[in-house]
Amino acid sequence: MTISSHTFQRVARAFRHGHIRINITNHLPAGIGAIYHPTAAPDHPADQLVVPPILGRFQEGLVMHECIHAFYDIEKIAIDARHEESAAYVVGSLFYRMAGLPQPDPGHTQDCARLVAEGLLAEYQDGNQPVPAVDDDSWNELMEAVRTDPAYAGREPAVGGSYVHDGVL
């Protein structure tokens, strides 16, 4: 799957048309930078992006990560949670790299995402192909890092399931 400007334009339209709500809060769970909720629960409605106050470029990177989750939901794309999280991490890493910002929360998962992102950027710079693919070895290492990341213990990326992708009205 290719993630491009179309991906983010599609999510932006969903925001503009009120299909995805944005909830700005300082009360996110510990260790969580932002959250996309595709389904309703007692504490939140469906199709909601929960983010901290956007005070600068750093928080924008968190939103980019969550917008990937929103895109997969909008388009009803069948993808397992580990691939989805990995793609979201790579998008975030590309954003930080291209904005000249340090990577957030250094750790194994973020380091693996950074390597995938750097590999993609190197392929673009070399002009090898218009839309380069990720390096299989780096991608597989990122997938394993997501699977074993303590942030996902007992959750879909670690247990091999999928997130809900029921479409956005």
Side-chain angles (χ1 to χ4, degrees), residues 148-167:
T148 59
D149 192 311
Y152 300 111
R155 295 180 47 217
E156 296 304 332
V159 298
S162 296
Y163 296 132
V164 174
H165 298 129
D166 60 355

Side-chain angles (χ1 to χ4, degrees), residues 21 23-25 28 33-37 48-52 66:
R21 293 170 210 77
N23 177 1
I24 299 171
T25 182
L28 287 161
I35 302 170
Y36 174 70
H37 293 295
Q48 177 180 230
L49 181 65
V50 183
V51 297
E66 297 304 328

